[in-house]
Amino acid sequence: DVKVTQSSRYLVKRTGEKVFLECVQDMDHENMFWYRQDPGLGLRLIYFSYDVKMKEKGDIPEGYSVSREKKERFSLILESASTNQTSMYLCASSSQTGTAGYLGAFFGQGTRLTVV
Amino acid sequence: GDSVTQMEGPVTLSEEAFLTINCTYTATGYPSLFWYVQYPGEGLQLLLKATKADDKGSNKGFEATYRKETTSFHLEKGSVQVSDSAVYFCALSDQWGSTLGRLYFGRGTQLTVWP
């Protein structure tokens, strides 16, 4: 089975801190994604990546950056955390190749970040 | 651009009741369609999918049919159980182009099933 692992289930950080959220997948997937989930808003895409060192902005990239130095790892960085970044963060991965691309994305368990 | 609209919840049902959660989509190409489920405190799990018009996805008693003419992918289950209580998300994915593999989600529908 595909496994997407996020480094933390819960995090509490202070305003202004630099925050790193880590995500690792073990299925050699080309695509990786970071979403945030907020009540009433569903899932919104922050950034995604189709290959190592590649990144694309999603719908709400402001205040975030990403890093993909290895194929299996995709990091989300909050440069200076703010209270409006308190949210559930979900990492996902998917394959590009052939019919496997139709499998959709596989998700990690989520990181609930609270910025105080 | 691509988007998904699903019925707002919450939906509350008694055990063994029939479930429908409506989902419609807007897409420029020929998307794949998905239903994901999120149990409390967990990430999203793929429930079922359909990749072309008239395909029916099914899993765990849930079904959804890809209707191109009505741009819909409604989720149905004939007899819900307490264990089906969760949040359900409808989603679509581009199949090619610069956004290959990106998922566009509806806002989610909270389902609560009472014994």
Side-chain angles (χ1 to χ4, degrees):
Chain A
D1 284 349
V2 174
K3 191 165 185 181
V4 180
T5 304
Q6 296 183 227
S7 53
S8 304
R9 290 295 298 270
Y10 301 95
L11 274 179
V12 180
K13 296 293 182 181
R14 295 193 179 277
T15 302
E17 277 193 74
K18 191 169 187 177
V19 180
F20 293 85
L21 303 183
E22 306 287 345
C23 176
V24 177
Q25 51 95 2
D26 65 358
M27 283 301 293
D28 202 35
H29 283 170
E30 297 86 359
N31 307 330
M32 295 190 76
F33 307 86
W34 276 106
Y35 291 87
R36 65 177 280 177
Q37 181 181 11
D38 300 289
L41 297 177
L43 277 76
R44 294 179 291 168
L45 183 64
I46 305 171
Y47 268 96
F48 57 105
S49 170
Y50 291 137
D51 200 352
V52 175
K53 298 192 186 296
M54 301 291 288
K55 61 182 179 183
E56 298 280 346
K57 292 181 180 179
D59 298 322
I60 52 164
E62 296 79 17
Y64 303 94
S65 62
V66 291
S67 173
R68 194 164 180 201
E69 296 296 320
K70 294 185 177 181
K71 191 175 185 181
E72 68 270 19
R73 186 180 297 270
F74 193 36
S75 303
L76 180 69
I77 304 155
L78 286 66
E79 297 291 344
S80 178
S82 64
T83 55
N84 64 12
Q85 293 178 309
T86 292
S87 186
M88 170 73 89
Y89 290 88
L90 292 166
C91 176
S93 72
S94 68
S95 175
Q96 290 178 6
T97 55
T99 56
Y102 302 140
L103 291 177
F106 295 85
F107 283 81
Q109 77 278 25
T111 296
R112 186 165 293 283
L113 172 67
T114 302
V115 182
V116 298
Chain B
D2 294 355
S3 66
V4 174
T5 302
Q6 66 181 98
M7 66 183 284
E8 294 186 12
V11 174
T12 304
L13 296 172
S14 297
E15 211 166 21
E16 299 184 2
F18 184 85
L19 169 71
T20 299
I21 301 177
N22 290 338
C23 172
T24 57
Y25 68 89
T26 301
T28 52
Y30 302 91
S32 293
L33 301 174
F34 306 85
W35 278 100
Y36 281 83
V37 59
Q38 185 179 35
Y39 298 103
E42 298 185 11
L44 275 67
Q45 301 176 24
L46 179 63
L47 180 60
L48 54 84
K49 64 176 174 67
T51 60
K52 61 184 187 298
D54 300 325
D55 269 2
K56 177 185 283 189
S58 61
N59 186 25
K60 299 181 181 180
F62 291 90
E63 293 183 341
T65 301
Y66 189 145
R67 300 287 187 197
K68 195 169 190 300
E69 64 277 12
T70 55
T71 61
S72 65
F73 192 56
H74 305 321
L75 182 67
E76 296 182 337
K77 187 174 186 182
S79 177
V80 294
Q81 305 299 313
V82 172
S83 57
D84 295 327
S85 297
V87 181
Y88 293 81
F89 291 92
C90 185
L92 70 81
S93 175
D94 293 333
Q95 294 190 15
W96 43 67
S98 63
T99 56
L100 175 66
R102 171 181 173 164
L103 285 166
Y104 296 83
F105 286 91
R107 294 191 174 190
T109 302
Q110 171 74 56
L111 169 67
T112 302
V113 180
W114 295 101

